[in-house]
Amino acid sequence: MKALVWHGKEDIRCDTVTDPEIQDPRDAIIKVTSCAICGSDLHLFHNFIPGMLPGDIMGHETMGEVVEVGSGVNGKLKKGDRVVVPFTIICGECEQCKRGNFSVCETTNRKRHLADKVFGHTTAGLFGYTHLTGGYPGGQAEYLRVPFADATHIKVPAGIPDEQLLFLSDIFPTGWQAAAQCDIEPTDTVAIWGCGPVGQMAIRSAILLGANRVIAIDCLPERLSMAEAGGATTINFETESVVERLQELTDGRGPEKCIDCVGMEAHVMPSLPDTLLDRAKQMVMAESDRPHVLREMIYVCRPGGIISVPGVYSGLSDMLPMGAFMNKGLTMRTGQTHVNRWTDDLLRRIEEGEIDPSFVITHTVPLAQGPEMYQVFRDKRESCVKVVLKP
Amino acid sequence: MFHFSNIVRTKGDPEIVKGGPSLKQPADQLARALGWFSIGLGVVELFAPRRVTETLGMEGRETMVRAFGVREIMSGIMSLSVDKNAGLWTRVGGDGLDAAALLSGLTSDNPKKGNIALALLMVGGIAVLDYRAAQDTKPRRPPRDARRKLYPNRSGFPKGIESVRTAARQIAAHAKTHLKTHAETNEVKQGDERRVP
C-alpha cells in the first residue's frame, strides 16, 4: 500500500509499504477513505518532538471502512462499518478509561517504558505520533491497523460526507475540549491564541458553549478572516499589541478564559525578544518548547481565570511567570484530547446541522501529494488552513 | 537506507518495500554538509587555536580564533536546523570576517603568508558555496504583502451564528433555572438534616 513515511527532519515521502495485518484479536483493519494533516504533524516534520524513527508512518486524523476484524472485537465492529478513528488509542477498560480520561489510558501504549521514564507515567498510545506514545503506524495511508478496535472507534452513519465527519478524529473534539474545560459562562470573554484548524474549532466551540465574546489572535489574513466568519473579534499580533488590545477590549480586566491553540512553536518576532531567545535555545537543545503564548496568557488573563492548553508542548519550557500565575489564582487545564468523551455529542451536533466542521478545509489532494502539502501547510502558502488527503 | 528502518520496526508493522521521492533538494544536502563542516572547523578553532595561529603566522591572535570558533559552531548548528537559511547567511557574513582577519595577517614580514593566501582561497571557495546554498534555501513563505485568499463566508454554522448564539443563551438560562431549583431543594434537605438531633 502507499503511505506517508517519516524519513527525518523535513523529509516525508510517499513510500510503498507492506499492508498492515491483524496482530491481536482486538485489532481491526480499515480501508482509509480520508485522512488529514494536523498542525501537530508539523512538530514531527520539524523533528521537535523526540522519538520518531525513519520508517514511521505519519497521521492521526483518519476515517474509513472496516475491511477486517479480529476475533476479539466481539461484534462491536463488523466488516463494512464506516468509522472515524480517534487519534487516542483506548482500551475502554482501565481505570482512566472508565473515568473518561481516555488520552491517559493506562493500557494502550505498547512502549510505556519510554513514556514512564519521560513523563513519569504512561499516556495512551497514539497513531503516528512518536515511539513515546507507542510508535503505532499512522493513518496517512491506504490501510490502517486499529489496535483495541472494539473501543477505539467512532461509528458514523452513511449519508454524511467524510469531510464533515473526519475531524471527529482530533481537531473538533480538541477545540471542543479546550473550550469545555474553560467552564464558559454567558458573561465570559474567551481569548484564543492561534487560528489554525484547532483554533478555528475552539472558536466555534466557545460560541456553541455560549461565550459572550470570543477574541481570536493570529497574524495570517486568511485565518483571521475565517475566525471572524465564525463570530470572533480578531487581533493581528503583527500589527498590534496583543496585551494592549485585549485590555482595551475587556475594559482593562483581561479575558476570563484563555486558550492556547499554538503550542511549542510560537511565532518568532524581533519585536518579542523572548521568542528570539526561545528559538536560539531550542536550536541548541537547551529548551524544547517556545512558550511565548503561555507567558502572554498568564500575564493577560483576568485574576481567577482559566487557561486551557490544547496546543502541544513536548518537554521543557523556560521563563514561565509562575509568580503571576500563582498570585492571580489562575487555573490551567490541559492534556491530549479525551476524544471519545465528546464525540457522541459532537456527532449529534453535526447530524442536526448545528455545525459543519468541513468549513476549515482549504485543500483536498491525493495521498501521493502529501509530502508537498506538508511544505505548503508549514509555509502557509496558497492560504492553506487544512489539508485533507484522499488515498 | 530504509532497510535499517525496517529492522527497527515492531514485528508485524508495515515495512518499506519501495521508497518514494524525497523532499530534500541538493541545496538541502549542501546546507547540511556546510553545517557539519562549520561545526568541525569551529571545534578546531575553539580547542586548538594555537595550531591555527602558528600555521598562519598570526601568533597572539588565539582569543580571536577562539571567538571565531564559537561563531562557526553556532552557524553550523543553525545551518543544520529548520532555520538553515538564517544559518547559511550567518556563514556568509562569517566568511567576510574570516577574509578580513586573514588579510590583516597578510603582511610582507609574515613568513607564512603563503598559507594565508591558501586559506584566503579556501575561504573564497567556501563563501561561494555558502552564498549559493543560502540563495537556494530561501524560505518559501509568501511575502507579507502577497495577495491571500480570504474566507469571510466560512462560519461553519449552517443555520447561522445568531441561531447558535440564541440556542446557547436559552440553554444557559435553562441551566440557571435548573441550578436554582436544585440549590433550593438541596437547601431544604440540608436544613432538614440540621434539624435532626
Side-chain angles (χ1 to χ4, degrees), chain A residues 225-258:
Chain A
S225 72
M226 199 183 266
E228 260 175 44
T233 305
T234 56
I235 297 176
N236 183 336
F237 66 79
E238 277 192 344
T239 57
E240 48 197 337
S241 157
V242 173
V243 174
E244 282 173 18
R245 189 83 182 101
L246 281 174
Q247 295 287 66
E248 231 174 79
L249 289 167
T250 56
D251 297 326
R253 291 195 301 265
E256 288 88 355
K257 310 289 157 65
C258 296

PDB file of all heavy atoms in Angstrom, chain A residues 225-258:
ATOM      1  N   SER A 225      -9.676  35.961   8.770  1.00  0.00           N
ATOM      2  CA  SER A 225     -10.981  36.131   8.110  1.00  0.00           C
ATOM      3  C   SER A 225     -11.899  34.958   8.447  1.00  0.00           C
ATOM      4  O   SER A 225     -13.101  35.128   8.654  1.00  0.00           O
ATOM      5  CB  SER A 225     -10.812  36.280   6.596  1.00  0.00           C
ATOM      6  OG  SER A 225     -10.438  35.057   6.016  1.00  0.00           O
ATOM      7  N   MET A 226     -11.329  33.763   8.532  1.00  0.00           N
ATOM      8  CA  MET A 226     -12.127  32.578   8.876  1.00  0.00           C
ATOM      9  C   MET A 226     -12.606  32.661  10.335  1.00  0.00           C
ATOM     10  O   MET A 226     -13.725  32.255  10.666  1.00  0.00           O
ATOM     11  CB  MET A 226     -11.281  31.315   8.667  1.00  0.00           C
ATOM     12  CG  MET A 226     -12.073  30.036   8.537  1.00  0.00           C
ATOM     13  SD  MET A 226     -11.013  28.598   8.375  1.00  0.00           S
ATOM     14  CE  MET A 226     -10.891  28.409   6.616  1.00  0.00           C
ATOM     15  N   ALA A 227     -11.740  33.214  11.197  1.00  0.00           N
ATOM     16  CA  ALA A 227     -12.113  33.375  12.612  1.00  0.00           C
ATOM     17  C   ALA A 227     -13.259  34.374  12.741  1.00  0.00           C
ATOM     18  O   ALA A 227     -14.213  34.157  13.495  1.00  0.00           O
ATOM     19  CB  ALA A 227     -10.903  33.846  13.416  1.00  0.00           C
ATOM     20  N   GLU A 228     -13.167  35.460  11.980  1.00  0.00           N
ATOM     21  CA  GLU A 228     -14.241  36.468  12.008  1.00  0.00           C
ATOM     22  C   GLU A 228     -15.550  35.875  11.514  1.00  0.00           C
ATOM     23  O   GLU A 228     -16.616  36.131  12.076  1.00  0.00           O
ATOM     24  CB  GLU A 228     -13.854  37.652  11.117  1.00  0.00           C
ATOM     25  CG  GLU A 228     -13.317  38.834  11.903  1.00  0.00           C
ATOM     26  CD  GLU A 228     -12.832  39.949  11.006  1.00  0.00           C
ATOM     27  OE1 GLU A 228     -13.533  40.272  10.031  1.00  0.00           O
ATOM     28  OE2 GLU A 228     -11.739  40.476  11.272  1.00  0.00           O
ATOM     29  N   ALA A 229     -15.428  35.051  10.457  1.00  0.00           N
ATOM     30  CA  ALA A 229     -16.638  34.413   9.925  1.00  0.00           C
ATOM     31  C   ALA A 229     -17.307  33.542  10.980  1.00  0.00           C
ATOM     32  O   ALA A 229     -18.526  33.390  10.990  1.00  0.00           O
ATOM     33  CB  ALA A 229     -16.284  33.571   8.698  1.00  0.00           C
ATOM     34  N   GLY A 230     -16.483  32.986  11.882  1.00  0.00           N
ATOM     35  CA  GLY A 230     -17.018  32.126  12.942  1.00  0.00           C
ATOM     36  C   GLY A 230     -17.514  32.893  14.151  1.00  0.00           C
ATOM     37  O   GLY A 230     -17.891  32.288  15.157  1.00  0.00           O
ATOM     38  N   GLY A 231     -17.459  34.214  14.085  1.00  0.00           N
ATOM     39  CA  GLY A 231     -18.031  35.013  15.168  1.00  0.00           C
ATOM     40  C   GLY A 231     -17.026  35.637  16.117  1.00  0.00           C
ATOM     41  O   GLY A 231     -17.407  36.158  17.174  1.00  0.00           O
ATOM     42  N   ALA A 232     -15.744  35.597  15.773  1.00  0.00           N
ATOM     43  CA  ALA A 232     -14.733  36.136  16.686  1.00  0.00           C
ATOM     44  C   ALA A 232     -14.349  37.572  16.333  1.00  0.00           C
ATOM     45  O   ALA A 232     -14.422  37.972  15.171  1.00  0.00           O
ATOM     46  CB  ALA A 232     -13.488  35.248  16.643  1.00  0.00           C
ATOM     47  N   THR A 233     -13.934  38.322  17.352  1.00  0.00           N
ATOM     48  CA  THR A 233     -13.267  39.605  17.143  1.00  0.00           C
ATOM     49  C   THR A 233     -11.796  39.246  16.981  1.00  0.00           C
ATOM     50  O   THR A 233     -11.303  38.361  17.693  1.00  0.00           O
ATOM     51  CB  THR A 233     -13.430  40.487  18.409  1.00  0.00           C
ATOM     52  OG1 THR A 233     -14.810  40.578  18.688  1.00  0.00           O
ATOM     53  CG2 THR A 233     -12.812  41.854  18.230  1.00  0.00           C
ATOM     54  N   THR A 234     -11.079  39.885  16.057  1.00  0.00           N
ATOM     55  CA  THR A 234      -9.720  39.405  15.792  1.00  0.00           C
ATOM     56  C   THR A 234      -8.642  40.421  16.175  1.00  0.00           C
ATOM     57  O   THR A 234      -8.880  41.632  16.177  1.00  0.00           O
ATOM     58  CB  THR A 234      -9.545  39.044  14.301  1.00  0.00           C
ATOM     59  OG1 THR A 234      -9.871  40.186  13.519  1.00  0.00           O
ATOM     60  CG2 THR A 234     -10.444  37.885  13.916  1.00  0.00           C
ATOM     61  N   ILE A 235      -7.479  39.876  16.492  1.00  0.00           N
ATOM     62  CA  ILE A 235      -6.293  40.701  16.760  1.00  0.00           C
ATOM     63  C   ILE A 235      -5.167  40.161  15.889  1.00  0.00           C
ATOM     64  O   ILE A 235      -4.868  38.962  15.934  1.00  0.00           O
ATOM     65  CB  ILE A 235      -5.861  40.621  18.241  1.00  0.00           C
ATOM     66  CG1 ILE A 235      -6.966  41.173  19.166  1.00  0.00           C
ATOM     67  CG2 ILE A 235      -4.546  41.368  18.467  1.00  0.00           C
ATOM     68  CD1 ILE A 235      -6.655  41.049  20.647  1.00  0.00           C
ATOM     69  N   ASN A 236      -4.546  41.039  15.102  1.00  0.00           N
ATOM     70  CA  ASN A 236      -3.380  40.637  14.313  1.00  0.00           C
ATOM     71  C   ASN A 236      -2.132  41.024  15.103  1.00  0.00           C
ATOM     72  O   ASN A 236      -1.821  42.203  15.249  1.00  0.00           O
ATOM     73  CB  ASN A 236      -3.396  41.352  12.958  1.00  0.00           C
ATOM     74  CG  ASN A 236      -2.245  40.920  12.070  1.00  0.00           C
ATOM     75  OD1 ASN A 236      -1.200  40.458  12.554  1.00  0.00           O
ATOM     76  ND2 ASN A 236      -2.417  41.059  10.767  1.00  0.00           N
ATOM     77  N   PHE A 237      -1.427  40.021  15.620  1.00  0.00           N
ATOM     78  CA  PHE A 237      -0.320  40.332  16.538  1.00  0.00           C
ATOM     79  C   PHE A 237       0.894  40.942  15.840  1.00  0.00           C
ATOM     80  O   PHE A 237       1.818  41.404  16.494  1.00  0.00           O
ATOM     81  CB  PHE A 237       0.084  39.105  17.370  1.00  0.00           C
ATOM     82  CG  PHE A 237       0.679  37.961  16.585  1.00  0.00           C
ATOM     83  CD1 PHE A 237       1.995  37.983  16.173  1.00  0.00           C
ATOM     84  CD2 PHE A 237      -0.079  36.842  16.288  1.00  0.00           C
ATOM     85  CE1 PHE A 237       2.542  36.925  15.464  1.00  0.00           C
ATOM     86  CE2 PHE A 237       0.460  35.776  15.578  1.00  0.00           C
ATOM     87  CZ  PHE A 237       1.774  35.825  15.166  1.00  0.00           C
ATOM     88  N   GLU A 238       0.867  40.932  14.503  1.00  0.00           N
ATOM     89  CA  GLU A 238       1.988  41.585  13.797  1.00  0.00           C
ATOM     90  C   GLU A 238       1.773  43.092  13.676  1.00  0.00           C
ATOM     91  O   GLU A 238       2.722  43.833  13.473  1.00  0.00           O
ATOM     92  CB  GLU A 238       2.153  40.972  12.405  1.00  0.00           C
ATOM     93  CG  GLU A 238       2.961  39.686  12.467  1.00  0.00           C
ATOM     94  CD  GLU A 238       3.405  39.194  11.095  1.00  0.00           C
ATOM     95  OE1 GLU A 238       2.865  39.640  10.071  1.00  0.00           O
ATOM     96  OE2 GLU A 238       4.289  38.337  11.074  1.00  0.00           O
ATOM     97  N   THR A 239       0.528  43.514  13.797  1.00  0.00           N
ATOM     98  CA  THR A 239       0.263  44.939  13.613  1.00  0.00           C
ATOM     99  C   THR A 239      -0.221  45.624  14.888  1.00  0.00           C
ATOM    100  O   THR A 239      -0.321  46.841  14.942  1.00  0.00           O
ATOM    101  CB  THR A 239      -0.795  45.167  12.507  1.00  0.00           C
ATOM    102  OG1 THR A 239      -1.977  44.437  12.866  1.00  0.00           O
ATOM    103  CG2 THR A 239      -0.302  44.677  11.156  1.00  0.00           C
ATOM    104  N   GLU A 240      -0.562  44.857  15.927  1.00  0.00           N
ATOM    105  CA  GLU A 240      -0.993  45.494  17.173  1.00  0.00           C
ATOM    106  C   GLU A 240      -0.528  44.674  18.375  1.00  0.00           C
ATOM    107  O   GLU A 240      -0.253  43.481  18.254  1.00  0.00           O
ATOM    108  CB  GLU A 240      -2.519  45.680  17.190  1.00  0.00           C
ATOM    109  CG  GLU A 240      -3.292  44.460  16.788  1.00  0.00           C
ATOM    110  CD  GLU A 240      -4.751  44.747  16.411  1.00  0.00           C
ATOM    111  OE1 GLU A 240      -5.304  45.766  16.833  1.00  0.00           O
ATOM    112  OE2 GLU A 240      -5.332  43.909  15.713  1.00  0.00           O
ATOM    113  N   SER A 241      -0.441  45.345  19.526  1.00  0.00           N
ATOM    114  CA  SER A 241      -0.002  44.661  20.739  1.00  0.00           C
ATOM    115  C   SER A 241      -1.158  43.828  21.293  1.00  0.00           C
ATOM    116  O   SER A 241      -2.247  44.350  21.555  1.00  0.00           O
ATOM    117  CB  SER A 241       0.451  45.686  21.776  1.00  0.00           C
ATOM    118  OG  SER A 241       0.358  45.125  23.070  1.00  0.00           O
ATOM    119  N   VAL A 242      -0.901  42.552  21.480  1.00  0.00           N
ATOM    120  CA  VAL A 242      -1.957  41.646  21.955  1.00  0.00           C
ATOM    121  C   VAL A 242      -2.427  42.069  23.347  1.00  0.00           C
ATOM    122  O   VAL A 242      -3.626  42.164  23.618  1.00  0.00           O
ATOM    123  CB  VAL A 242      -1.434  40.185  21.978  1.00  0.00           C
ATOM    124  CG1 VAL A 242      -2.442  39.258  22.633  1.00  0.00           C
ATOM    125  CG2 VAL A 242      -1.131  39.711  20.563  1.00  0.00           C
ATOM    126  N   VAL A 243      -1.448  42.352  24.217  1.00  0.00           N
ATOM    127  CA  VAL A 243      -1.800  42.687  25.597  1.00  0.00           C
ATOM    128  C   VAL A 243      -2.640  43.970  25.635  1.00  0.00           C
ATOM    129  O   VAL A 243      -3.711  44.017  26.259  1.00  0.00           O
ATOM    130  CB  VAL A 243      -0.525  42.841  26.456  1.00  0.00           C
ATOM    131  CG1 VAL A 243      -0.867  43.333  27.857  1.00  0.00           C
ATOM    132  CG2 VAL A 243       0.217  41.510  26.528  1.00  0.00           C
ATOM    133  N   GLU A 244      -2.168  44.994  24.938  1.00  0.00           N
ATOM    134  CA  GLU A 244      -2.892  46.282  24.954  1.00  0.00           C
ATOM    135  C   GLU A 244      -4.299  46.134  24.379  1.00  0.00           C
ATOM    136  O   GLU A 244      -5.266  46.642  24.920  1.00  0.00           O
ATOM    137  CB  GLU A 244      -2.125  47.333  24.149  1.00  0.00           C
ATOM    138  CG  GLU A 244      -0.943  47.908  24.919  1.00  0.00           C
ATOM    139  CD  GLU A 244      -0.097  48.818  24.052  1.00  0.00           C
ATOM    140  OE1 GLU A 244      -0.572  49.280  23.005  1.00  0.00           O
ATOM    141  OE2 GLU A 244       1.074  49.051  24.431  1.00  0.00           O
ATOM    142  N   ARG A 245      -4.374  45.414  23.281  1.00  0.00           N
ATOM    143  CA  ARG A 245      -5.671  45.268  22.611  1.00  0.00           C
ATOM    144  C   ARG A 245      -6.653  44.459  23.469  1.00  0.00           C
ATOM    145  O   ARG A 245      -7.836  44.808  23.568  1.00  0.00           O
ATOM    146  CB  ARG A 245      -5.447  44.569  21.257  1.00  0.00           C
ATOM    147  CG  ARG A 245      -6.625  44.542  20.360  1.00  0.00           C
ATOM    148  CD  ARG A 245      -6.791  45.819  19.550  1.00  0.00           C
ATOM    149  NE  ARG A 245      -8.000  45.717  18.740  1.00  0.00           N
ATOM    150  CZ  ARG A 245      -9.168  46.283  19.040  1.00  0.00           C
ATOM    151  NH1 ARG A 245      -9.278  47.048  20.111  1.00  0.00           N
ATOM    152  NH2 ARG A 245     -10.219  46.118  18.263  1.00  0.00           N
ATOM    153  N   LEU A 246      -6.146  43.402  24.112  1.00  0.00           N
ATOM    154  CA  LEU A 246      -7.032  42.604  24.970  1.00  0.00           C
ATOM    155  C   LEU A 246      -7.516  43.430  26.165  1.00  0.00           C
ATOM    156  O   LEU A 246      -8.676  43.337  26.572  1.00  0.00           O
ATOM    157  CB  LEU A 246      -6.313  41.340  25.462  1.00  0.00           C
ATOM    158  CG  LEU A 246      -6.224  40.184  24.462  1.00  0.00           C
ATOM    159  CD1 LEU A 246      -5.365  39.052  25.012  1.00  0.00           C
ATOM    160  CD2 LEU A 246      -7.610  39.642  24.120  1.00  0.00           C
ATOM    161  N   GLN A 247      -6.614  44.251  26.716  1.00  0.00           N
ATOM    162  CA  GLN A 247      -7.007  45.115  27.834  1.00  0.00           C
ATOM    163  C   GLN A 247      -8.095  46.081  27.388  1.00  0.00           C
ATOM    164  O   GLN A 247      -9.072  46.291  28.093  1.00  0.00           O
ATOM    165  CB  GLN A 247      -5.793  45.898  28.362  1.00  0.00           C
ATOM    166  CG  GLN A 247      -4.702  45.041  28.974  1.00  0.00           C
ATOM    167  CD  GLN A 247      -5.100  44.474  30.332  1.00  0.00           C
ATOM    168  OE1 GLN A 247      -6.017  43.652  30.420  1.00  0.00           O
ATOM    169  NE2 GLN A 247      -4.429  44.903  31.385  1.00  0.00           N
ATOM    170  N   GLU A 248      -7.886  46.643  26.194  1.00  0.00           N
ATOM    171  CA  GLU A 248      -8.856  47.580  25.637  1.00  0.00           C
ATOM    172  C   GLU A 248     -10.240  46.928  25.471  1.00  0.00           C
ATOM    173  O   GLU A 248     -11.262  47.490  25.856  1.00  0.00           O
ATOM    174  CB  GLU A 248      -8.358  47.953  24.244  1.00  0.00           C
ATOM    175  CG  GLU A 248      -8.266  49.430  23.931  1.00  0.00           C
ATOM    176  CD  GLU A 248      -7.619  49.560  22.561  1.00  0.00           C
ATOM    177  OE1 GLU A 248      -8.314  49.365  21.535  1.00  0.00           O
ATOM    178  OE2 GLU A 248      -6.415  49.823  22.539  1.00  0.00           O
ATOM    179  N   LEU A 249     -10.207  45.723  24.894  1.00  0.00           N
ATOM    180  CA  LEU A 249     -11.477  45.041  24.586  1.00  0.00           C
ATOM    181  C   LEU A 249     -12.207  44.549  25.839  1.00  0.00           C
ATOM    182  O   LEU A 249     -13.393  44.236  25.789  1.00  0.00           O
ATOM    183  CB  LEU A 249     -11.221  43.845  23.654  1.00  0.00           C
ATOM    184  CG  LEU A 249     -10.834  44.187  22.210  1.00  0.00           C
ATOM    185  CD1 LEU A 249     -10.302  42.959  21.479  1.00  0.00           C
ATOM    186  CD2 LEU A 249     -12.049  44.738  21.458  1.00  0.00           C
ATOM    187  N   THR A 250     -11.484  44.458  26.957  1.00  0.00           N
ATOM    188  CA  THR A 250     -12.122  43.937  28.185  1.00  0.00           C
ATOM    189  C   THR A 250     -12.150  45.005  29.277  1.00  0.00           C
ATOM    190  O   THR A 250     -12.202  44.668  30.464  1.00  0.00           O
ATOM    191  CB  THR A 250     -11.370  42.687  28.701  1.00  0.00           C
ATOM    192  OG1 THR A 250      -9.984  43.048  28.904  1.00  0.00           O
ATOM    193  CG2 THR A 250     -11.441  41.529  27.733  1.00  0.00           C
ATOM    194  N   ASP A 251     -12.077  46.259  28.884  1.00  0.00           N
ATOM    195  CA  ASP A 251     -12.084  47.382  29.843  1.00  0.00           C
ATOM    196  C   ASP A 251     -11.019  47.223  30.923  1.00  0.00           C
ATOM    197  O   ASP A 251     -11.255  47.504  32.106  1.00  0.00           O
ATOM    198  CB  ASP A 251     -13.474  47.512  30.505  1.00  0.00           C
ATOM    199  CG  ASP A 251     -14.532  47.841  29.466  1.00  0.00           C
ATOM    200  OD1 ASP A 251     -14.201  48.556  28.505  1.00  0.00           O
ATOM    201  OD2 ASP A 251     -15.665  47.354  29.610  1.00  0.00           O
ATOM    202  N   GLY A 252      -9.878  46.718  30.517  1.00  0.00           N
ATOM    203  CA  GLY A 252      -8.737  46.613  31.432  1.00  0.00           C
ATOM    204  C   GLY A 252      -8.777  45.415  32.363  1.00  0.00           C
ATOM    205  O   GLY A 252      -7.859  45.230  33.166  1.00  0.00           O
ATOM    206  N   ARG A 253      -9.815  44.582  32.269  1.00  0.00           N
ATOM    207  CA  ARG A 253      -9.918  43.458  33.217  1.00  0.00           C
ATOM    208  C   ARG A 253      -9.229  42.196  32.719  1.00  0.00           C
ATOM    209  O   ARG A 253      -8.893  41.322  33.496  1.00  0.00           O
ATOM    210  CB  ARG A 253     -11.394  43.139  33.483  1.00  0.00           C
ATOM    211  CG  ARG A 253     -12.134  44.219  34.266  1.00  0.00           C
ATOM    212  CD  ARG A 253     -13.444  43.670  34.804  1.00  0.00           C
ATOM    213  NE  ARG A 253     -14.290  43.191  33.716  1.00  0.00           N
ATOM    214  CZ  ARG A 253     -15.246  43.931  33.140  1.00  0.00           C
ATOM    215  NH1 ARG A 253     -15.459  45.159  33.558  1.00  0.00           N
ATOM    216  NH2 ARG A 253     -15.987  43.443  32.173  1.00  0.00           N
ATOM    217  N   GLY A 254      -9.033  42.077  31.431  1.00  0.00           N
ATOM    218  CA  GLY A 254      -8.440  40.858  30.849  1.00  0.00           C
ATOM    219  C   GLY A 254      -9.518  39.818  30.590  1.00  0.00           C
ATOM    220  O   GLY A 254     -10.556  39.811  31.258  1.00  0.00           O
ATOM    221  N   PRO A 255      -9.287  38.931  29.621  1.00  0.00           N
ATOM    222  CA  PRO A 255     -10.268  37.874  29.339  1.00  0.00           C
ATOM    223  C   PRO A 255     -10.334  36.871  30.496  1.00  0.00           C
ATOM    224  O   PRO A 255      -9.310  36.532  31.081  1.00  0.00           O
ATOM    225  CB  PRO A 255      -9.726  37.212  28.069  1.00  0.00           C
ATOM    226  CG  PRO A 255      -8.281  37.582  28.018  1.00  0.00           C
ATOM    227  CD  PRO A 255      -8.104  38.865  28.744  1.00  0.00           C
ATOM    228  N   GLU A 256     -11.552  36.410  30.781  1.00  0.00           N
ATOM    229  CA  GLU A 256     -11.718  35.438  31.881  1.00  0.00           C
ATOM    230  C   GLU A 256     -11.138  34.082  31.507  1.00  0.00           C
ATOM    231  O   GLU A 256     -10.672  33.339  32.373  1.00  0.00           O
ATOM    232  CB  GLU A 256     -13.211  35.247  32.205  1.00  0.00           C
ATOM    233  CG  GLU A 256     -13.871  36.411  32.909  1.00  0.00           C
ATOM    234  CD  GLU A 256     -14.425  37.452  31.954  1.00  0.00           C
ATOM    235  OE1 GLU A 256     -14.209  37.317  30.728  1.00  0.00           O
ATOM    236  OE2 GLU A 256     -15.065  38.401  32.419  1.00  0.00           O
ATOM    237  N   LYS A 257     -11.209  33.754  30.209  1.00  0.00           N
ATOM    238  CA  LYS A 257     -10.755  32.439  29.772  1.00  0.00           C
ATOM    239  C   LYS A 257      -9.778  32.608  28.604  1.00  0.00           C
ATOM    240  O   LYS A 257     -10.041  33.397  27.686  1.00  0.00           O
ATOM    241  CB  LYS A 257     -11.953  31.577  29.312  1.00  0.00           C
ATOM    242  CG  LYS A 257     -13.129  31.539  30.318  1.00  0.00           C
ATOM    243  CD  LYS A 257     -12.814  30.745  31.556  1.00  0.00           C
ATOM    244  CE  LYS A 257     -13.647  31.082  32.782  1.00  0.00           C
ATOM    245  NZ  LYS A 257     -15.058  30.803  32.717  1.00  0.00           N
ATOM    246  N   CYS A 258      -8.668  31.889  28.663  1.00  0.00           N
ATOM    247  CA  CYS A 258      -7.651  31.993  27.603  1.00  0.00           C
ATOM    248  C   CYS A 258      -7.339  30.592  27.077  1.00  0.00           C
ATOM    249  O   CYS A 258      -7.165  29.663  27.867  1.00  0.00           O
ATOM    250  CB  CYS A 258      -6.367  32.595  28.152  1.00  0.00           C
ATOM    251  SG  CYS A 258      -6.558  34.282  28.725  1.00  0.00           S
TER     252      CYS A 258
END
